[in-house]
Amino acid sequence: MEILVCVKRVPDSAENEIVMNSAGNDIERDDLVYSVNEWDNYAVEEAIQIVEKVGGTVTVVTVGDADADEILRREMAMGAEKGLLLQDDAFEGSDCKGIATALKGAVEKGKYDLIFTGAQADEGAGAVGGMLAAMLDLPYASLVNKIELGDGKLTIGREIEGGNREMNEISMPCVLSIQTGINEPRYVGIRGIRKVSGVEIPVMSAGDLGVDAGSVGAAGAKVKKIDYFVPEKGEGAEMLEGSTEEIIDKLIEILKANGGL
Amino acid sequence: MAQVFAYLNHKNGVLEDAAMELINAAKAISSEPATAIVCGSGIDAVATAAAAIFPKVIKVDNAALDYPNAEVVRKALVNVIPAGSVVLFAHNTFSMDCAPGLSVKLNASFVADIVGIDGVDGSTLKVVRQEFGGVVSTHVGVDMSAGAVVAVRPGTFAPDESKAAGGAVTAADAGDLSAKRKFIEIVAPEAGDVDITKADILVSIGRGIEDEENIQLAMDLKEAIGNAAEVSCSRPIVDAKWLEASRQVGTSGCTVKPKVYMACGISGSFQHLGGIKGGLLIAINKNPNAPIFQVANVGIVANIVEFLPALTEKIEEMK
Ligand SMILES: Cc1cc2nc3c(=O)[nH]c(=O)nc-3n(C[C@H](O)[C@H](O)[C@H](O)COP(=O)(O)OP(=O)(O)OC[C@H]3O[C@@H](n4cnc5c(N)ncnc54)[C@H](O)[C@@H]3O)c2cc1C
């Protein structure tokens, strides 16, 4: 089984306090700590488990700059055999469709049975996988939280509302977006990362991929972020203040008054 | 002006409430009357319900659409929707499955999970989105010149409950609906040992609990409060297998309506809040800017790993 997993380097929301910059049009980006998009670790783990069962190769790919090397290596330390970096100034400022267009180029340069993405990334769009599948005319399923291998096809479970699972049969090759909880991503230690530090990661440009530079990046983007802002706060919560003891006393009064104690 | 369509979800012959919100979303984009699209099999009642909300309804009735398999629905929509249109969805697990691919097939722009519409400037639709779990928002410009597919977060627009549209239903042909993905069945979640929907007080913990061993702090508080209380959680706690799935609150978990919901170390994502349907919401979070404080009734800025045991101790003392 040849599996391509698309991953993204994102600001780590657990490690950063997100604040506005002084100009008030963007977030402060100077000291942001980055990591792999949470969902992508589940996608890579699932791919590795499939290959451990039936053989094959897991390749991790990302669209990014030289900094993205570190997240590819992290996923390779998990057990992905190959990395691939799609890097070109032309990709800068891409919207979801631009990213999907670059990835399509990479898919067409290889021969993959399965293509995974995370169910969504830092912007919460969850769009790249579905777009990529449509561009390649491959079947697609989103929010996948169960995969059973069949002959030339898969039985997959999709997470839908209320904890229900929608079971489908899907033919291969296909594109799946992977939801958290499908597995338990393995731990990656410093030693694992060191082991893959020497592995060469090929870099492909728009030209290498056969991608028209005008169809990607800011030039091709039809969806553009204008600015960041902090929405005006509504009334918000009644904040309990004082010493811990005072707060606890007030809280207990509130719990009593509302039938909670 | 682009024509606006709204895809309406329905289940068991009943339209989802989001339909009444999408009509108002459509009005924020165009003054022209919007057209609803309902797909399915044997859906006359749903189409009639849609016509009470939308001035025009297109009904695509076909046995292959009996279950809304996103690949099949997408094919039907590509057949029915003219190039250059704006297509609205409610942002949910169906839109996540269908809408991005639809935008590619219609050669239209795509924007997901919008929480506001700031107006139309020429062929640019200006929308509002959130990032970093709602800590900051963004204005986003969407080029509609070749059409756009827009998924709107439920609750963004007030519902138009007047149901006085008196719309007309027309039937449309779905065309070829062959697909490489086949729907098999829906599997309901396994019942857990606990039923959090029955508790009066939920001590609900999120990623802020930090460690598996700290789960005990919530269990201790629950014990101190007594029978009426139960421990629930946000999704990352279930993903980490620290608690069973039946304790998860949210769109992909349980819907609860306790008297008191104590959100401890939970940021307030819309998927989590979507499962809380009432009661007094008390938020305890170490970050004073956590979005949950915007929606909570009572807020406490504290480290829950220290605060929860202190609260437990005080309640025990009172006994
Ligand atoms: C399709 C889909 C469905 C989903 N369904 C659900 C669902 O049903 N339920 C659900 O919950 N989520 C769901 N999610 C996930 C959701 O988007 C969020 O990722 C999740 O709710 C975040 O959980 P959290 O608030 O516990 O974690 P975070 O967002 O990481 O927030 C942790 C919070 O804890 C605070 N904190 C950290 N340490 C401490 C401390 N020591 N003391 C006090 N506070 C602390 C932080 O300030 C932060 O506000 C779904 C996502 C998708 C894509």
Side-chain angles (χ1 to χ4, degrees):
Chain A
M1 196 80 79
E2 295 301 310
I3 310 179
L4 183 70
V5 187
C6 309
V7 301
K8 184 179 182 187
R9 178 177 179 265
V10 301
D12 187 331
S13 54
E15 296 291 334
N16 296 297
E17 210 197 308
I18 304 293
V19 290
M20 295 294 296
N21 66 3
S22 51
N25 59 3
D26 194 2
I27 57 169
E28 188 55 65
R29 293 184 186 271
D30 281 352
D31 298 315
L32 284 184
V33 179
Y34 288 82
S35 60
V36 186
N37 170 40
E38 183 185 353
W39 280 265
D40 300 345
N41 285 328
Y42 291 86
V44 171
E45 176 64 39
E46 196 63 19
I48 293 169
Q49 288 188 14
I50 291 173
V51 164
E52 281 171 352
K53 242 182 260 163
V54 299
T57 328
V58 178
T59 305
V60 284
V61 61
T62 191
V63 182
D65 55 18
D67 289 335
D69 186 81
E70 70 184 28
I71 63 136
L72 289 175
R73 283 187 203 283
R74 190 204 171 279
E75 303 309 87
M76 290 164 73
M78 279 178 78
E81 196 177 309
K82 296 186 199 163
L84 177 59
L85 176 59
L86 312 185
Q87 184 183 4
D88 198 310
D89 289 346
F91 296 146
E92 213 149 302
S94 286
D95 60 8
C96 295
K97 199 169 176 188
I99 300 294
T101 303
L103 291 169
K104 171 177 178 269
V107 172
E108 287 172 341
K109 292 286 166 194
K111 193 164 175 8
Y112 300 102
D113 304 295
L114 287 174
I115 299 141
F116 290 171
T117 68
Q120 61 177 35
D122 54 336
E123 295 181 8
V128 169
M131 289 179 165
L132 178 61
M135 288 174 181
L136 292 163
D137 259 323
L138 293 178
Y140 173 67
S142 66
L143 297 162
V144 171
N145 65 1
K146 188 183 177 75
I147 299 179
E148 288 164 17
L149 302 177
D151 189 13
K153 61 189 181 195
L154 306 171
T155 304
I156 53 123
R158 286 187 65 235
E159 178 187 289
I160 56 171
E161 278 73 16
N164 293 299
R165 182 180 269 162
E166 178 197 284
M167 300 302 298
N168 293 269
E169 192 180 283
I170 193 165
S171 65
M172 285 196 282
C174 60
V175 181
L176 305 179
S177 92
I178 306 295
Q179 174 67 317
T180 58
I182 185 173
N183 53 40
E184 289 177 75
R186 63 197 69 188
Y187 175 77
V188 175
I190 293 285
R191 270 189 40 216
I193 305 233
R194 225 177 270 147
K195 252 188 170 158
V196 296
S197 64
V199 182
E200 203 194 322
I201 296 180
V203 180
M204 296 181 90
S205 67
D208 298 333
L209 296 166
V211 167
D212 167 20
S215 68
V216 291
K222 292 166 100 189
V223 178
K224 290 192 172 122
K225 217 173 282 179
I226 301 163
D227 62 1
Y228 282 80
F229 65 102
V230 176
E232 229 162 280
K233 296 209 158 107
E235 224 170 87
E238 173 203 343
M239 301 302 289
L240 303 187
E241 273 149 28
S243 68
T244 303
E245 216 157 287
E246 287 164 345
I247 290 176
I248 286 179
D249 287 341
K250 285 184 207 165
L251 177 57
I252 286 177
E253 285 315 307
I254 292 173
L255 288 174
K256 280 183 178 161
N258 288 277
L261 263 186
Chain B
M1 188 67 238
Q3 214 182 330
V4 181
F5 292 85
Y7 176 85
L8 305 188
N9 299 107
H10 56 89
K11 209 161 74 188
N12 305 326
V14 182
L15 269 188
E16 288 194 8
D17 286 347
M20 293 183 285
E21 298 173 15
L22 290 182
I23 183 70
N24 278 339
K27 284 177 187 159
I29 298 173
S30 172
S31 52
E32 301 289 317
T35 305
I37 303 182
V38 286
C39 296
S41 172
I43 47 169
D44 285 351
V46 175
T48 306
I53 301 166
F54 283 80
K56 286 192 256 173
V57 177
I58 294 177
K59 177 182 78 167
V60 190
D61 200 330
N62 187 302
L65 291 163
D66 189 36
Y67 182 83
N69 170 337
E71 190 180 329
V72 182
V73 173
R74 185 182 85 199
K75 281 194 150 181
L77 294 180
V78 170
N79 282 325
V80 169
I81 296 171
S85 306
V86 173
V87 190
L88 303 178
F89 285 84
H91 180 75
N92 54 29
T93 63
F94 176 79
S95 75
M96 290 180 83
D97 215 28
C98 181
L102 177 68
S103 74
V104 167
K105 294 300 180 190
L106 292 175
N107 197 24
S109 305
F110 175 65
V111 63
D113 192 20
I114 67 160
V115 297
I117 294 178
D118 249 15
V120 176
D121 183 4
S123 63
T124 301
L125 174 67
K126 224 174 135 191
V127 300
V128 179
R129 299 189 74 249
Q130 293 183 337
E131 287 188 18
F132 301 106
V135 176
V136 287
S137 298
T138 61
H139 289 111
V140 175
V142 182
D143 180 351
M144 299 191 292
S145 53
V149 176
V150 180
V152 184
R153 182 183 297 181
T156 296
F157 286 87
D160 178 351
E161 291 171 350
S162 57
K163 300 202 174 159
V169 178
T170 50
D173 188 19
D176 167 33
L177 294 181
S178 59
K180 295 182 204 156
R181 176 176 144 194
K182 275 197 218 88
F183 167 71
I184 304 169
E185 60 172 346
I186 301 286
V187 180
E190 282 170 34
D193 296 336
V194 289
D195 184 358
I196 60 166
T197 65
K198 297 242 156 65
D200 280 341
I201 305 146
L202 285 172
V203 177
S204 203
I205 49 174
R207 187 140 39 194
I209 199 75
E210 291 176 356
D211 257 310
E212 184 168 12
E213 59 195 39
N214 292 337
I215 301 278
Q216 192 55 42
L217 305 178
M219 293 293 177
D220 292 344
L221 176 56
K222 169 205 119 126
E223 289 298 327
I225 299 173
N227 285 340
E230 204 36 273
V231 173
S232 59
C233 64
S234 69
R235 173 169 189 133
I237 304 301
V238 171
D239 286 341
K241 310 270 191 292
W242 293 353
L243 285 174
E244 52 276 46
S246 57
R247 291 188 192 261
Q248 181 186 317
V249 173
T251 53
S252 59
C254 296
T255 298
V256 297
K257 202 179 169 187
K259 284 185 185 151
V260 177
Y261 188 90
M262 289 175 67
C264 312
I266 291 176
S267 63
S269 70
F270 80 93
Q271 291 101 340
H272 186 77
L273 298 173
I276 310 170
K277 293 293 178 207
L280 187 81
L281 176 54
I282 302 173
I284 311 171
N285 197 298
K286 71 173 181 189
N287 177 4
N289 294 321
I292 189 129
F293 288 132
Q294 290 308 301
V295 293
N297 304 101
V298 177
I300 297 167
V301 178
N303 180 341
I304 55 169
V305 179
E306 291 156 14
F307 187 86
L308 294 183
L311 177 59
T312 305
E313 195 179 325
K314 184 74 197 219
I315 293 173
E316 292 287 6
E317 267 173 30
M318 287 169 20
K319 283 184 177 170

